[in-house]
Amino acid sequence: MDLNAVRERINAIDDQIVDLFVERMKASADVASAKAEKNLPVLDLRREQAVLEKVMERGGEEFEIYINKLYQTIFDISKSYQAGLLTKETALSEEILKNIADPHMEFPRKAVVACQGVEGSYAARACDRLFALPSKMYFSNFESVFNAVESGLCRYGVLPIENSSAGSVTEVYDLMVRHKFYIVKSIKLHISHALLAKPGVKLEDVKEVVSHTQALQQCSNFLKANPNIKVTIFENTATAAKYVAESGRTDLAALSSTDCAKLYGLHVLQDGVQNNENNYTRFICIAKNMEIYAGSNRISLMLSLDHRPGSLHEMIGKFACRGINLCKLESRPIPGKDFEFRFYFDLDGSVFSPETMTVLKDIEQAAESLSFLGCYSEV
Ligand SMILES: O=C(O)C(=O)C[C@]1(C(=O)O)C=C[C@@H](O)C=C1
């Protein structure tokens, strides 16, 4: 067979496909106006199912799976196009527009900030990097940080959200559902854990190690190599260091930071204990109200979707259609439901971009529920 001749045939077919695709998109635009008049949503699953059955039958058995795939994509594109044509503002878009009205608003240098743990914690270090002059208030757990911000006791709160080797801080994700807050900044910190003990204690004397679960996970190779050392979970790495300093025990050590060694008068038995030198933790800075600063280029969303095949694919398709990069997707079980999940999306996008706002409005319509968790930049 002559390759060039077949390619000529394909070129001619492509011309027809493109012409018909453009025709179809114009028809889709007309559907959008008809629906807008009647206040109907863009998504019509029954209609999609009817179209699918018809075209699959027309294509025949050999091609039905390909036609199915092709039409899923066509529907995604058609819906994304319709969403772009519908300019009506939603409650969420109105609120966002209100909050970006002042582009000169600057992130404060001073503020009262809630941090989990005690002095020397990684959250405190993140706080010092975020603010020039923070007044830190320490709380014993993550929930108290959310409460302090929600009640207005602290203007901001700093919380760890994910680590490059141990993954998401699921406790913080689970608390997000129960609290009203917005992410206003984030920061990525290099984390190096050291084994700290009272001066004079040697590595071979250590019978027990105390630390936070995330730090213990990040140092799992060290713990596996020392199976005789008992492991005890603490709320925070700094709290663990303080406990060792105050304990008077010579068989106890904490996995914590070298900052804490200085702060609590402990000796560094071993530095860089984490499995990976490339160990980073991202912290979010939360506030009670939506605060969006110039240069914000990341968006966090919390969604629940209809429990049916393809609903997550549909959402992801909306970002893909407009070339928006999804930089994180986390799912957490919804308590009381049978393997149903709540999704957390982080996007490379900004509410200052009309394209991104179109997708947000589209998602707001299509998702069972949507919480906009903020648009911010990472330090
Ligand atoms: O027929 C409609 O209601 C349309 O909006 C068109 C269309 C399509 O492209 O075929 C797009 C979205 C709907 O979910 C169903 C079908």
Side-chain angles (χ1 to χ4, degrees), residues 128-140:
D128 287 334
R129 290 266 314 274
L130 283 162
F131 298 91
L133 296 163
S135 297
K136 293 185 279 277
M137 279 182 80
Y138 293 99
F139 295 86
S140 62

Side-chain angles (χ1 to χ4, degrees), residues 326-342:
L326 197 61
C327 42
K328 173 148 198 219
L329 173 55
E330 179 64 50
S331 63
R332 297 291 306 145
I334 303 178
K337 298 259 178 104
D338 202 6
F339 291 100
E340 286 187 35
F341 294 87
R342 188 171 280 108

Side-chain angles (χ1 to χ4, degrees), residues 254-270:
L255 279 167
S256 189
S257 66
T258 47
D259 282 4
C260 283
K262 283 190 213 114
L263 203 61
Y264 298 111
L266 294 172
H267 174 67
V268 178
L269 289 182
Q270 193 176 321

Side-chain angles (χ1 to χ4, degrees), residues 342-358:
R342 188 171 280 108
F343 297 98
Y344 297 84
F345 289 76
D346 280 356
L347 329 171
D348 283 333
S350 168
V351 293
F352 295 101
S353 138
E355 192 80 353
T356 309
M357 284 306 290
T358 300

Side-chain angles (χ1 to χ4, degrees), residues 179-228:
H179 294 276
K180 176 121 177 58
F181 70 96
Y182 291 97
I183 305 173
V184 297
K185 277 265 178 237
S186 66
I187 183 168
K188 194 171 108 176
L189 272 194
H190 183 250
I191 305 285
S192 180
H193 297 298
L195 189 72
L196 314 181
K198 291 191 80 91
V201 174
K202 290 191 205 64
L203 184 56
E204 52 274 25
D205 302 332
V206 176
K207 300 275 174 305
E208 185 178 357
V209 163
V210 288
S211 194
H212 185 260
T213 39
Q214 277 262 339
L216 293 165
Q217 271 169 277
Q218 292 160 30
C219 301
S220 59
N221 291 349
F222 168 83
L223 297 171
K224 262 185 233 146
N226 294 279
N228 296 328

Side-chain angles (χ1 to χ4, degrees), residues 5-24:
V6 192
R7 284 188 173 159
E8 278 307 314
R9 246 171 71 209
I10 287 186
N11 285 346
I13 295 167
D14 283 344
D15 286 347
Q16 291 182 57
I17 289 179
V18 171
D19 290 349
L20 287 172
F21 175 74
V22 170
E23 278 300 303
R24 196 185 194 285

Side-chain angles (χ1 to χ4, degrees), residues 36 97 258 283 354 371:
L97 287 174
T258 47
F283 290 83
S371 298

Side-chain angles (χ1 to χ4, degrees), residues 24 28 31-32 35 42-45 47-48 51 74-75 78-79 82:
R24 196 185 194 285
S28 176
V31 174
K35 282 182 173 174
V42 169
L43 178 69
D44 186 336
L45 280 175
R47 169 70 185 157
E48 287 186 17
V51 173
I74 288 179
F75 292 142
S78 169
K79 284 179 283 193
Q82 288 191 30

